[in-house]
Every structure is written in structure tokens, then in C-alpha cells.
Amino acid sequence: EIVLVNTTETRMNGEVRFFSQGSGTQPGTPMEVGIGDGAASVLEYDIPPRSSQRFKTAGNADSVSMGSIYIVPFGGFNTPHAHVLLSRRDGAVIVSQTAIEGQLPGRNFRLYAEAFGDFDGSKPKSTQTTFAFANPASASASVRLDLTSLDGTSLGSASIQIPANGQVAMFLNRVPGFETIKAPYQGILRATVTSGTGVTVVGMRVMFNESGNFLTTTTGPLNENANSPTRLVFPYIADSSGYTSQFILVGGSTGQNISGVLRFLTPDATPLALDNLIVGS
């Protein structure tokens, strides 16, 4: 489901374009997806001021289609804020859902990465990191991947190629050069575009729960300037009655010590007491 939001006082018009992954030297191409009772590779949006518009794919094809989505405003119009909601169903039941925010292409990214348990064996509570890169340019792009543990120790490096107008999505342990990195680990995956004009990226933490369902949540890209001397705010947490919250704080340059205070507040801004808070490194 594509959600487009117009936060301005003027109307927004443009197109939503679907592209296939491409492969090797083959670029991504327009990709038809099911929309209602038909199919389309391009949808036109028209969003009034301070309003939103949604598009939802049918999800009823016999095989999985993967690729990327471009939000392209018509000349003279601004670009809307965009999210994609990815849902997985088992029959009529939604068993997993996560959101990905639309991005402008960039050249440097950081993603949180982890692996625990026997994920390849689909064992309950096992986790693995997966990522997707999209290249909206008409020439291929090269991306260098550097994986470090949370203490800054190098775990390995690799490079991947992304076709023109294409996309690459894979589990971290399937990247050539990273196959020998064994779980468990927690760390940071830094992605640097070494050729090309820029890419977009999303990282995900995936887990098999106790019921065998495949759960996902986004883990980046992380803000490279998040270690600046200003307050950061997590706008929502939940704890107990089945809920837990996990916070991952990432430092800046190697050798740079960062200290501070993590404060928990209730909705009315009074201190929130949390029982059995576990602090790790």
C-alpha cells in the first residue's frame, strides 16, 4: 500500500511508477502490478492541499513480484511525503506488516545489523538482517558494504552492483564475502556508493516467531548526524502486557566516547518507571 501525503497548501500531481529488479547488466523495467481488477505499471496521483492519497496492490498474483517504486512529480509540482506499507497474509489473516519511508538518493548510509540463532533453519526467535538498494539512475551503481560490530571491530567488507533503474534485495549472510560471518553478532552496516549518482536503501530485522511467522521491522538507514549534541526523541514506546521496546544507540567515529541520559516519560510528561530494564552493549 502506497501512502502519499501533501503537507503543503498547494495541490500535488505526478506519477507512481513501478520498476522490476533488473539483473546483472539488465536494467530494471516498468513492472505491472495488480491494482483492483486490473494491472498497471504507472498510476497518476492528484492530492489536494493538506490531504493524502492511497494506492493498494491486489496481492493476488501466483508469484511474488519484487522491485522499487518511484514517486515522480509533474513539472512545477512538489514531491509528496511517501510511505509504503508491506503486508504479508496467511489466507485472510495479516501475519506481518512494516513501513518503509520514501527517500531521496544518497551516497552514504548506516544500517543496524544483527543475527541470532539458526535463521536458515527457521528456528523460533532467530533473527537475520536483510536489505534492499534501489538505483533510480540510467547507469549501474556500485556499493561498498563494511560490517563492524558495535565496538567498532571489522567483521568484513563486500561490494555489490545495482542495475540501472534496478534493485538488489538479499539477506546479509547471502552477500558474497559475508557468508562466513557467523551468528550471533550485532553491528553496523555502512554502505558507500563508489560509482553512480546515488541510491536509496532500507535495512530490515527479520525474525521467526514462536508460531513460525516471518516478522520484519525496518532498521535504517540511520542518520549519520544522530550523534550531534542535541536531544533525540523516540515518540512512542510500549512495555508490559505483551509489549517490549528495544533501543539501539549508535556512536559516531571510532574511538569517540559518547555519554548521556536516557529518560522515559509518560504521555503527560511525568517520569515513567520501567521494571527489569536490561542494559547491554
Side-chain angles (χ1 to χ4, degrees):
E1 184 173 4
I2 301 101
V3 182
L4 306 179
V5 180
N6 180 358
T7 61
T8 73
E9 301 296 340
T10 58
R11 183 176 293 272
M12 290 183 176
N13 292 96
E15 292 180 339
V16 177
R17 302 175 183 173
F18 299 88
F19 276 81
S20 66
Q21 288 183 302
S23 177
T25 60
Q26 298 299 314
T29 56
M31 177 180 69
E32 286 197 344
V33 298
I35 302 291
D37 294 330
S41 62
V42 178
L43 302 172
E44 187 171 328
Y45 65 82
D46 182 0
I47 315 174
R50 301 289 177 180
S51 187
S52 64
Q53 188 171 359
R54 292 172 177 249
F55 301 95
K56 189 173 183 178
T57 65
N60 55 10
D62 293 332
S63 59
V64 176
S65 297
M66 294 191 294
S68 54
I69 300 172
Y70 299 172
I71 310 300
V72 184
F74 291 147
F77 289 93
N78 293 323
T79 305
H81 188 79
H83 276 83
V84 170
L85 305 180
L86 301 178
S87 301
R88 180 176 177 271
R89 290 180 178 271
D90 183 359
V93 179
I94 295 177
V95 296
S96 179
Q97 188 175 72
T98 192
I100 300 174
E101 186 175 7
Q103 306 167 30
L104 294 174
R107 300 185 64 84
N108 298 285
F109 305 92
R110 288 193 296 174
L111 310 169
Y112 171 72
E114 74 168 42
F116 290 100
D118 183 9
F119 185 83
D120 290 339
S122 305
K123 298 301 182 182
K125 302 184 72 172
S126 60
T127 67
Q128 182 58 258
T129 290
T130 186
F131 61 79
F133 287 92
N135 174 19
S138 57
S140 64
S142 298
V143 178
R144 176 183 171 89
L145 303 177
D146 295 292
L147 181 63
T148 59
S149 62
L150 291 183
D151 64 5
T153 302
S154 175
L155 297 178
S157 297
S159 293
I160 59 173
Q161 294 288 125
I162 309 171
N165 292 318
Q167 182 237 46
V168 169
M170 64 177 67
F171 290 108
L172 192 58
N173 64 344
R174 305 290 174 84
V175 175
F178 286 165
E179 307 100 319
T180 58
I181 300 175
K182 302 299 182 182
Y185 67 79
Q186 289 179 288
I188 297 298
L189 180 69
R190 185 179 177 101
T192 305
V193 177
T194 56
S195 70
T197 57
V199 301
T200 61
V201 60
V202 63
M204 292 185 181
R205 176 185 186 264
V206 294
M207 181 182 75
F208 286 102
N209 69 4
E210 292 84 345
S211 299
N213 293 323
F214 188 77
L215 308 182
T216 64
T217 186
T218 53
T219 56
L222 304 175
N223 186 348
E224 287 278 355
N225 299 316
N227 61 331
S228 57
T230 58
R231 291 191 305 170
L232 295 177
V233 178
F234 294 97
Y236 181 79
I237 67 167
D239 184 67
S240 299
S241 297
Y243 290 94
T244 61
S245 296
Q246 182 179 3
F247 302 89
I248 302 165
L249 308 180
V250 180
S253 303
T254 302
Q256 179 183 6
N257 293 323
I258 297 176
S259 61
V261 178
L262 192 62
R263 294 187 173 94
F264 301 94
L265 302 176
T266 65
D268 63 3
T270 57
L272 172 64
L274 297 177
D275 296 328
N276 301 318
L277 184 65
I278 300 173
V279 179
S281 59

